[in-house]
Amino acid sequence: MKAVMVVVGTRPETIKMAPVIRALQKSKIPLIFTHCGQHYDYNMSQQFIEELELSPPDYGYKVKAYSQGEQTARIIIHIERLLKKTSPALVLVEGDTNGVLATALAAVKLGIPVGHVEAGLRSFDLRMPEEHNRRLTDHVSTDLFAPTKNAENNLKREGVWGKICITGNTVIDAVIQHLPIAEKKSKILEAVHFENFALATAHRAENVDDLAVLKNFMEAFAEAPIPVVYPMHPRTKKRLRQNRIYAKIKKSKNIQILPPLGYLDFLVLMKKCEMIATDSGGIQEEATAPCIRKPVLVIRLSTERPEAVKAGFAKVVGIEKQKILEAMERTLKQRKELPAKSPYGDGNAAEKIVRTIKKELAF
Ligand code: UD1
Ligand code: UDP
């Protein structure tokens, strides 16, 4: 029996693939759901599968913490064995993680077609492991599901061989599908110490693995003109601990550190906050969803999401403490009206992706 294998490995992949999994199931397309285990803590992996009410993965691995190369290599080994055993008609991956590249490589070497959800994003910053992963994955993919026209243009410019289809980003589907449930179920606001706050996240390797940048971020949050609620990624916590600054940050009256949150709690915080300061990719997109609509300060040197900037939601403010503080102050003063429409689509990206797959593979 022909089946589509969906492979996820990290928090954002599970969130962004949830609508695709639902659309595949609705279309009665046989599905093999695999978690390649790049993220392995409960609150970075299993928590999302439960909360988003996905069936447990048919296959799951744990690859723990290794170097970039070893992590990628270990995932290739697991996925190659699994693909040989299951022979899916298509493998679907999402985004730009090491697990995505590993899965795409394992599949292409066995002659199994790869569909890349969120194809064509480019930061043009080769310091980022994600930029290597997304470029390489796009060039071995058979189907490129580009979220926007800009992403399609990037792919055309590079002369990719696969078929390009503009779909919107499935994260908008995810926000629309989950915010109403989040608003009913989440109790996170009872745990937040502040009425008005900025929401912050930071985990990019080129930021938090650089002590100077890590300190810039922590000082900016501690001195911010508005209290900061900060659900902390395990990579960042590890770096703060290694550098012996975690305890100091934890004591700051202006920062409330939280553990990595479930999706429903995080959606509620995005909806409630005054602004978002982040180096995350997915959060830049989610902030443009009509039911969220929040200004985003991108604490990075570049973004692969220029659509959010062009539409007026996001600003790339850099990684200097002073620049971050100035941008926060400006955002609080200006409080400008944000567009009612997201540049990442209307929430039907997953349906479009599945329609294309159904036609191509004649399910
Ligand atoms: C990865 C992706 C990044 C994505 C992010 C989503 C790559 C190169 N990076 O970054 O694009 O934005 O996931 O959150 O693929 N750790 C834990 N528990 C976990 C997972 C990670 O403790 O469940 C810690 C470990 O110390 C690990 C470190 O975080 O070494 C980094 O994890 P890793 O998956 O390599 O990269 P992320 O920073 O999570
Ligand atoms: N997110 C979450 N809990 C958190 C922080 C983020 O559920 O504590 C969600 C967020 O809403 C978004 C995704 O995780 O959908 C973003 O993940 P992350 O920033 O780790 O990765 P990126 O998008 O940068 O690859």
Side-chain angles (χ1 to χ4, degrees):
M1 185 181 51
K2 280 194 302 187
V4 170
M5 182 183 286
V6 170
V7 182
V8 301
T10 65
R11 161 169 87 186
E13 291 164 69
T14 308
I15 293 168
K16 288 175 165 180
M17 278 302 211
V20 178
I21 290 173
R22 288 188 198 116
L24 285 166
Q25 285 168 335
K26 199 170 127 197
S27 291
K28 308 227 174 329
I29 295 176
L31 165 74
I32 304 167
F33 178 32
T34 301
H35 195 294
C36 76
Q38 178 169 342
H39 283 173
Y40 43 83
D41 288 346
Y42 174 82
N43 60 15
M44 297 296 286
S45 54
Q46 185 63 25
Q47 161 169 241
F48 295 96
I49 292 168
E50 289 170 12
E51 211 179 26
L52 305 185
E53 295 184 12
L54 302 175
S55 348
D58 300 293
Y59 299 93
Y61 304 91
K62 271 191 201 299
V63 282
K64 288 274 174 185
Y66 298 102
S67 67
Q68 297 276 334
E70 192 169 348
Q71 187 183 52
T72 310
R74 282 178 187 260
I75 299 173
I76 293 179
I77 295 171
H78 289 309
I79 299 293
E80 182 181 57
R81 284 192 192 131
L82 180 62
L83 292 175
K84 280 185 180 161
K85 184 166 128 180
T86 53
S87 302
L90 176 76
V91 176
L92 273 185
V93 289
E94 193 286 332
D96 52 20
T97 61
N98 290 338
V100 165
L101 176 62
T103 300
L105 282 178
V108 76
K109 285 178 187 298
L110 292 172
I112 298 172
V114 176
H116 188 198
V117 176
E118 203 180 90
L121 273 61
R122 296 291 181 269
S123 66
F124 306 98
D125 181 349
L126 275 182
R127 295 174 310 147
M128 299 178 68
E130 292 84 0
E131 185 72 0
H132 321 153
N133 294 337
R134 51 174 95 95
R135 281 175 182 252
L136 294 167
T137 302
D138 284 338
H139 283 266
V140 297
S141 292
T142 330
D143 289 284
L144 297 132
F145 299 110
T148 64
K149 183 80 192 149
N150 182 68
E152 183 195 42
N153 288 343
N154 288 335
L155 293 169
K156 284 189 172 161
R157 200 177 325 109
E158 289 176 17
V160 295
W161 288 9
K163 257 181 275 160
I164 307 171
C165 171
I166 300 181
T167 59
N169 195 303
T170 60
V171 85
I172 303 297
D173 310 24
V175 173
I176 293 170
Q177 290 171 15
H178 297 287
L179 186 64
I181 305 169
E183 288 185 308
K184 273 199 206 119
K185 284 197 178 167
S186 168
K187 304 221 177 325
I188 191 68
L189 292 177
E190 292 170 19
V192 169
H193 301 160
F194 318 109
E195 177 55 28
N196 297 313
F197 59 89
L199 178 62
T201 79
H203 73 280
R204 295 252 91 82
E206 71 278 8
N207 283 340
V208 303
D209 290 1
D210 179 331
L211 180 57
V213 179
L214 186 64
K215 278 187 174 160
N216 283 345
F217 285 2
M218 296 308 133
E219 287 172 17
F221 299 161
E223 293 169 35
I226 177 166
V228 172
V229 174
Y230 184 2
M232 192 176 278
H233 189 286
R235 175 192 283 274
T236 315
K237 186 169 179 183
K238 186 169 154 188
R239 295 292 173 240
L240 289 170
R241 284 223 156 111
Q242 278 169 346
N243 291 295
R244 297 178 195 286
I245 38 185
Y246 182 70
K248 187 174 155 206
I249 303 304
K250 194 114 177 85
K251 274 190 222 138
S252 164
K253 290 213 160 46
N254 206 45
I255 309 177
Q256 183 178 2
I257 295 180
L258 296 173
L261 297 175
Y263 193 45
L264 302 184
D265 286 344
F266 198 78
L267 280 173
V268 165
L269 290 186
M270 276 196 289
K271 170 103 194 174
K272 174 77 173 64
C273 70
E274 302 295 314
M275 71 176 88
I276 301 170
T278 190
D279 63 6
S280 162
I283 295 170
Q284 293 176 55
E285 297 154 349
E286 286 169 330
T288 71
C291 49
I292 303 272
R293 285 169 84 210
K294 285 291 147 73
V296 181
L297 308 181
V298 182
I299 46 176
R300 286 172 45 180
L301 298 176
S302 63
T303 182
E304 57 293 309
R305 272 94 175 167
E307 302 87 351
V309 176
K310 204 166 158 210
F313 290 93
K315 268 205 180 72
V316 179
V317 301
I319 51 176
E320 300 301 328
K321 170 181 156 186
Q322 214 45 45
K323 291 266 187 281
I324 299 169
L325 286 173
E326 281 163 20
M328 288 181 117
E329 264 151 30
R330 245 191 335 267
T331 309
L332 281 177
K333 269 195 209 125
Q334 283 171 355
R335 295 190 187 271
K336 66 174 183 185
E337 185 75 7
L338 292 167
K341 224 174 131 44
S342 167
Y344 298 106
D346 302 327
N348 50 18
E351 296 284 350
K352 275 193 197 155
I353 291 167
V354 170
R355 233 180 291 136
T356 308
I357 294 173
K358 208 169 171 178
K359 227 190 301 163
E360 259 180 32
L361 297 179
F363 273 108

